[in-house]
Amino acid sequence: MKTTRSKQLFAEALRYIPGGVNSPVRAFRSVGGQPLFIKRAKGSRLYDVDGNSFIDYVLSWGPMILGHAPAPVIKAITRAAANGTSYGAPTEQEVRLAQMITEAVPSMQEVRLVSSGTEAVMSAVRLARGFTNRDAILKFEGCYHGHTDYLLAKAGSGLATLSIPDCPGVPDDFTRHTLTAPYNDIATVQRLIQAHHEDLACVIVEPIAGNMGVVPPRDDFLANLRELTRAHGILLIFDEVITGFRVHYGGAQALYGVTPDLTCLGKIIGGGLPVGAYGGAREIMRLVAPAGPVYQAGTLSGNPLAVTAGIETLKRLKTPGVYRKLDERAAALAEGLREAAKKAGVPLIQTRVGSMLGAFFTKGPVVDYASAKQSDTKAYAKFFHRMLNKGVYFAPSQFEAAFLSTAHTPSDIEETIKSARAVFKSL
Ligand code: HOZ
């Protein structure tokens, strides 16, 4: 594979940008080698600056559920851009997107739009603290909720990829109020809640963990969290930045039938433009400024381009059969990879919920961060590079998810499985 131009650009990037990238996992550090610089993308394909093309399963880390550059979305944002790109004043479009979100996710009676998932979570936790008048929060090991100081404790995504357990620059004082428990371990949650319930404002969880690879919740894990938090007046926050509109039009909460108090969204609701949102019961949301005293603001919040892309994306996702089709294609891919690994004698645990997939090189089971960390990351790195050489782009980290879009065709899936057969044999 020719990578001359990517290499030149990366050398240049290293002069001006820390690590040469604007977000750590993009740097290929844990799989080795250098990142590819992307020139354009369309449908299921990425095209790099050296003229290589790839079937893309990263999809900008989740937002591009309709594939890249979907015609109706591009048309709508082009039209919107001609009317100006930001006003710092309310627009009709943001009311429409808020309406669509609250209709799709009924637990979000009111919603505040922000500019990233990090911002959504940070604001939701502040709101939970303001509402309960308590300081402590409980999060799960390997779950990633953005890069807010007190949420970096034992976090997934880039921190798992780069093995950073505690981030310098975060004073101990800031994480003093953050408790952590293993994902899927309700006994530990129960113990922590018993000990700290008077001070616990919220429990925050990715209802399907997608930042330590993909780790689905055990059968009653979410329902038990709901019961325990409700019993002690603790708010339950679902971080659905990845799962929102990904696993179901109503998010993971609709899929599992468990209703949180607050929900955080991002990625898909911006159709590939920077966006985030948090929302919940009216009684709680009415505390957000200017309706109430919990302050939160943003110059680009509700940005007209991002909101337009979000509306157009959600409109398409509402079409009957969309999620069934995504599920069928993802199932075919997961099954094909599993079979191929088995035939080649490669131990592989394939996890999947809808169109979110994980692949761990281990005998498993993978139920939490500790077991995800047991997997053979060197084998993943080899798999990643050999697939890349065959024109298939998976995440450059074991601890991220793979995603499918409505633009992935059966022949994309077949081509991927065919490549994987050869790659597994070579491992
Ligand atoms: N935190 C993102 C994945 N879970 C990665 C963002 C990026 O590198 O673009």
Side-chain angles (χ1 to χ4, degrees):
M1 186 169 67
K2 193 177 152 226
T3 55
T4 324
R5 186 67 187 135
S6 273
K7 284 200 176 111
Q8 279 167 358
L9 285 171
F10 191 52
E12 246 190 284
L14 284 168
R15 290 216 292 272
Y16 310 116
I17 303 172
V21 289
N22 282 313
S23 191
V25 282
R26 298 178 194 180
F28 282 31
R29 286 276 170 108
S30 69
V31 290
Q34 300 193 348
L36 300 178
F37 281 63
I38 304 305
K39 190 169 189 177
R40 67 187 180 91
K42 182 75 190 162
S44 62
R45 302 260 164 181
L46 281 182
Y47 300 87
D48 75 5
V49 288
D50 286 287
N52 304 302
S53 84
F54 305 92
I55 303 173
D56 181 20
Y57 293 103
V58 178
L59 294 175
S60 188
W61 310 93
M64 312 315 302
I65 193 165
L66 303 180
H68 292 285
V73 178
I74 299 302
K75 208 169 137 198
I77 55 179
T78 307
R79 208 177 323 119
N83 289 329
T85 53
S86 185
Y87 318 121
T91 64
E92 179 172 349
Q93 299 96 292
E94 51 191 325
V95 182
R96 290 297 146 251
L97 182 60
Q99 184 185 5
M100 289 175 93
I101 291 172
T102 55
E103 282 169 6
V105 187
S107 72
M108 300 175 83
Q109 291 177 332
E110 290 188 17
V111 61
R112 169 60 64 82
L113 300 178
V114 293
S115 297
S116 70
T118 293
E119 217 186 314
V121 171
M122 183 184 81
S123 312
V125 171
R126 180 182 302 144
L127 179 57
R129 286 172 159 158
F131 182 77
T132 56
N133 222 0
R134 299 171 181 175
D135 292 335
I137 65 170
L138 171 58
K139 79 173 280 290
F140 293 92
E141 291 164 16
C143 282
Y144 177 74
H145 304 291
H147 58 89
T148 305
D149 285 341
Y150 54 83
L151 287 166
L152 290 179
K154 297 186 182 161
S157 190
L159 291 106
T161 305
L162 301 173
S163 291
I164 302 176
D166 294 298
C167 174
V170 178
D172 286 347
D173 259 13
F174 288 24
T175 45
R176 194 157 55 91
H177 298 295
T178 306
L179 307 172
T180 58
Y183 193 73
N184 271 328
D185 179 351
I186 204 68
T188 300
V189 175
Q190 212 157 4
R191 228 177 17 251
L192 287 170
I193 288 186
Q194 269 322 325
H196 299 275
H197 62 92
E198 283 178 6
D199 193 36
L200 261 176
C202 62
V203 171
I204 181 161
V205 67
E206 288 180 77
I208 300 157
N211 284 289
M212 47 173 142
V214 173
V215 179
R218 275 188 172 135
D219 272 357
D220 290 332
F221 179 58
L222 299 174
N224 284 333
L225 283 184
R226 178 64 287 182
E227 211 176 293
L228 280 169
T229 46
R230 188 173 283 135
H232 293 94
I234 300 163
L235 298 192
L236 179 61
I237 305 181
F238 275 8
D239 178 344
E240 296 227 42
V241 169
I242 291 180
T243 55
F245 295 93
R246 162 59 64 186
V247 293
H248 188 287
Y249 192 71
Q253 54 197 275
L255 192 68
Y256 296 111
V258 177
T259 307
D261 299 296
L262 290 170
T263 300
C264 302
L265 297 172
K267 301 202 191 263
I268 288 174
I269 59 157
L273 276 86
V275 99
Y278 66 102
R282 189 156 281 125
E283 182 199 3
I284 306 171
M285 293 305 289
R286 289 275 155 103
L287 283 193
V288 177
V294 177
Y295 197 72
Q296 179 269 307
T299 299
L300 293 177
S301 293
N303 173 266
L305 295 196
V307 165
T308 301
I311 292 171
E312 292 306 316
T313 302
L314 299 198
K315 270 190 205 159
R316 263 88 214 157
L317 291 176
K318 238 180 153 176
T319 316
V322 167
Y323 288 92
R324 192 176 28 80
K325 192 170 119 186
L326 278 166
D327 191 65
E328 281 168 10
R329 302 243 161 112
L333 177 62
E335 198 41 47
L337 293 178
R338 194 179 292 123
E339 273 291 300
K342 198 171 157 199
K343 262 209 179 122
V346 173
L348 185 83
I349 296 287
Q350 181 78 60
T351 54
R352 180 181 78 86
V353 181
S355 56
M356 276 174 80
L357 299 99
F360 298 94
F361 288 81
T362 176
K363 291 199 168 96
V366 179
V367 293
D368 57 15
Y369 188 46
S371 48
K373 273 286 206 185
Q374 291 296 319
S375 61
D376 182 350
T377 49
K378 288 201 177 92
Y380 182 84
K382 280 188 196 152
F383 171 76
F384 166 79
H385 276 294
R386 292 177 193 178
M387 289 301 281
L388 197 65
N389 267 302
K390 290 184 175 296
V392 182
Y393 193 91
F394 281 115
S397 162
Q398 166 74 87
F399 304 108
E400 298 286 351
F403 299 103
L404 256 78
S405 75
T406 55
H408 283 79
T409 60
S411 75
D412 288 331
I413 311 285
E414 268 164 41
E415 195 181 321
T416 306
I417 295 169
K418 193 170 153 221
S419 301
R421 276 193 204 114
V423 168
F424 284 134
K425 268 192 210 143
S426 76
L427 286 179

